[in-house]
Every structure is written in C-alpha cells, then in structure tokens.
Amino acid sequence: MYGMEIWINPACSKCRGALTLLDAEGAGYTVRRYLEDVPSQDEIREVLGRLGLEPWDITRTQEAAAKELGLKDWPREESARDRWIAALAEHPKLIQRPIITADDGTAVVGRTEEAVREAMSRSRE
C-alpha cells in the first residue's frame, strides 16, 4: 500500500488533473472517492492536522449544503471547530478537493500543479 493517498470526486476537473499529473510522473498512490467512502470526524481531524489548517479553511462554502446550514455565519474559532468537522463528515461534498496526503505525514490541497508536485516531492525517498 502506498503512503500517498488522494481524496477525489471523479466529477471534479481539479481532481482529474491531479490524477493525470500523478500518473504522468509515475507516482504511487491510492484513490479515495470520499463522497462514497466518507471520512470520519477523526479522519478529518487527522487530515486537518497534516494540512495545518482549520475545518473552515477546507470547506466549500458555495455548495448548496453550506448555504442550507448557514456556514458563512458560523464562528471560525476553536470553540466551533467540532461543529465544522461534524458538518464536513455529514456533508462530504463540502470538503475541498483534491486532498493529497504525503508519505512524510503532511498533506496538501492539490488544486494546482505546484501543490500536487509538492505532495509528490514529500513522498519520494
């Protein structure tokens, strides 16, 4: 099993672009279709720690579910962190994508070629 994992939505062009680049570079990775294989709250906490970000930093606030929940009005502070994480676990479509975890224990939001290359560089010996 590879240490590098990419959370994707197959309908997302940024996800497809990241996969194309990983394949072109011969990178070893596993794919997680996170809308089908929904991450638990603990997995989201772990990825946030690897990213060095807060849950509101990886939330797609323009999604319909975000608007229904009124996320734009939620506090962005430590006391509300668990509420945000619960919303991401319950509505995985709100999670920014693709997220790539690297072998060195870090992660990146791979929306640019540079970010995908950064994850690959952290996963090479």
Side-chain angles (χ1 to χ4, degrees):
M1 182 169 158
Y2 298 110
M4 192 162 50
E5 181 177 76
I6 181 170
W7 292 11
I8 68 156
N9 173 350
C12 168
S13 63
K14 298 284 186 187
C15 294
R16 292 191 306 270
L19 291 173
T20 298
L21 179 57
L22 291 170
D23 290 342
E25 295 293 326
Y29 62 92
T30 56
V31 170
R32 180 171 188 169
R33 292 177 180 226
Y34 71 93
L35 297 179
E36 299 163 14
D37 182 8
V38 178
S40 68
Q41 290 186 34
D42 286 342
E43 288 174 307
I44 293 169
R45 280 187 191 88
E46 179 189 346
V47 161
L48 287 167
R50 293 175 79 164
L51 288 165
L53 297 173
E54 293 296 336
W56 45 86
D57 296 326
I58 65 161
T59 300
R60 298 172 56 85
T61 56
Q62 298 306 308
E63 290 288 336
K67 292 176 182 177
E68 288 171 22
L69 293 169
L71 287 181
K72 69 178 179 72
D73 297 323
W74 287 18
R76 295 178 181 221
E77 56 194 33
E78 182 63 32
S79 64
R81 193 169 198 266
D82 286 343
R83 182 180 179 197
W84 282 85
I85 291 169
L88 292 173
E90 189 172 332
H91 305 278
K93 198 169 191 179
L94 296 176
I95 300 171
Q96 188 59 262
R97 62 195 181 240
I99 292 176
I100 305 171
T101 59
D103 291 347
D104 70 352
T106 62
V108 299
V109 177
R111 295 190 59 77
T112 64
E113 181 177 330
E114 295 77 22
V116 176
R117 290 189 182 282
E118 183 179 336
M120 285 190 292
S121 72
R122 294 176 183 179
S123 293
R124 293 197 175 123
E125 306 263 77

